[in-house]
Amino acid sequence: MTNSDQFHSGFVLLWGRPNVGKSTLLNAALGRKVAIVTPKPQTTRNRIAGVRTTEDAQMIFVDTPGIHPPHDTLGEYMVATAREALPDADVVLFLVDASVPPGPADEQAARLLASATAPRVLVLNKRDLVAPDLLAQRQQSYEALGSFEQTAVISAATGEGVPELLQRVQALLPLGPMYFPEGMVSDHPDSFLVAELVREQALLKTQQEIPYSLAVVVEEFEPRTEELTYVRAVLYVERESQKKILIGEGGSMLREIGKAARAEAEPLLGKRLYLDLWVKVRPRWRNDESVLARFGYPMPKKPRKRRSR
Ligand SMILES: Nc1nc2c(ncn2[C@@H]2O[C@H](COP(=O)(O)OP(=O)(O)OP(=O)(O)O)[C@@H](O)[C@H]2O)c(=O)[nH]1
Ligand SMILES: [Mg+2]
């Protein structure tokens, strides 16, 4: 039971350039993996909401793709997706990587935030990588990027400072109802998580050539028994050479990806998976709006121009 007079709830937007640790913080806040994390920038491509329900609050964390200058239609989709989430935010966490000085991408992310009306918290992440005597200087240079109600210094990877941040966020949220049922953790289905975990392993196990050209589509997700679910997923790349890399010698790379993704997915879903992976080539899919939509990246509808009579 909750005391509705005291219950805080709302949307907490995770915002920033790629690779600063937004998805790592989402997972840390929920105590469960709902978003994939890799050392490569532009890992997250969709808006992913994760719900944290406690006795006195429900925080809906909204992870977004990192803000960057887009080079293709997929990139435009990613940045548009992040920007669309902004007006719904009750609190914005502007994440930065404290282990490096601010760069143009942080400046761009800060500029886009200027229109937000919600309280903004500057979150200096990756504290574990910063020499203590540098921290105050870094804080100052990031604070100069905009106006922030508060600054927090955390390490999403080690968890340092995360509980304190959560308390501060809760205090900034308005009093409100529970928006989602208590047991709900993510707004995406299990099939999305499996597709993402396959993509994560493929990114972790391959080099430069693959990351931006890879999309994973789950084409079948069918419970065969109470414990076993059959999943057929296709890894789409843009060139034959990339397909060869993903399949590997005698299929060894694809087997490794499947094994690692299954090991991640099974405890999260609480069931066994039969993971049937395929690799296909779809040239230039990142610039084809109809394919993008089929792969789970639908461009937001542009307002139609009114026809003049
Ligand atoms: N040392 C350290 N590494 C971190 C920390 N937080 C995140 N990382 C690492 O930074 C990299 C990027 O983390 P992500 O959570 O994927 O970053 P993101 O902001 O979601 O990136 P995009 O999805 O590309 O926008 C990964 O290698 C993480 O393990 C931290 O507090 N300390
Ligand atoms: Mg991410």
Side-chain angles (χ1 to χ4, degrees), residues 6-209:
Q6 301 294 326
F7 199 78
H8 292 257
S9 61
F11 290 82
V12 183
L13 187 65
L14 298 163
W15 181 266
R17 69 160 170 83
N19 221 29
V20 290
K22 298 179 294 298
S23 302
T24 308
L25 178 56
L26 173 72
N27 295 338
L30 301 181
R32 199 204 123 136
K33 183 164 182 168
V34 297
I36 61 168
V37 168
T38 84
K40 289 161 188 158
Q42 296 170 38
T43 294
T44 304
R45 291 175 173 168
N46 306 85
R47 170 192 184 279
I48 301 172
V51 188
R52 178 188 155 91
T53 308
T54 53
E55 230 167 58
D56 45 11
Q58 184 169 72
M59 305 182 196
I60 302 123
F61 289 90
V62 179
D63 189 12
T64 56
I67 299 297
H68 66 284
H71 298 299
D72 49 33
T73 317
L74 172 64
E76 284 169 23
Y77 163 81
M78 287 161 63
V79 176
T81 298
R83 294 185 69 166
E84 273 195 335
L86 201 48
D88 292 333
D90 293 298
V91 174
V92 178
L93 301 185
F94 178 43
L95 258 78
V96 298
D97 179 348
S99 70
V100 291
D106 297 294
E107 285 166 17
Q108 191 200 358
R111 261 198 312 275
L112 290 176
L113 254 197
S115 64
T117 49
R120 279 161 279 203
V121 180
L122 173 67
V123 180
L124 279 93
N125 187 32
K126 309 199 187 182
R127 175 191 195 143
D128 53 299
L129 300 178
V130 192
D133 56 332
L134 254 183
L135 201 55
Q137 183 198 326
R138 283 283 149 78
Q139 181 167 338
Q140 231 181 11
S141 47
Y142 276 108
E143 280 174 345
L145 290 181
S147 73
F148 304 99
E149 268 76 2
Q150 301 184 20
T151 300
V153 184
I154 67 161
S155 168
T158 68
E160 193 190 346
V162 174
E164 294 79 2
L165 174 63
L166 294 177
Q167 269 176 6
R168 287 160 69 172
V169 168
Q170 180 168 329
L172 288 170
L173 286 177
L175 293 172
M178 220 193 260
Y179 291 106
F180 293 100
E182 238 177 300
M184 184 169 154
V185 185
S186 161
D187 65 341
H188 285 277
D190 289 350
S191 55
F192 173 82
L193 182 63
V194 174
E196 287 288 89
L197 291 170
V198 171
R199 192 162 65 86
E200 179 180 52
Q201 290 305 325
L203 298 193
L204 291 174
K205 290 183 192 302
T206 58
Q207 301 307 316
Q208 280 315 330
E209 242 219 292

Side-chain angles (χ1 to χ4, degrees), residues 63 122 277 297 307:
D63 189 12
L122 173 67
L277 299 184
Y297 312 119
R307 229 185 271 164

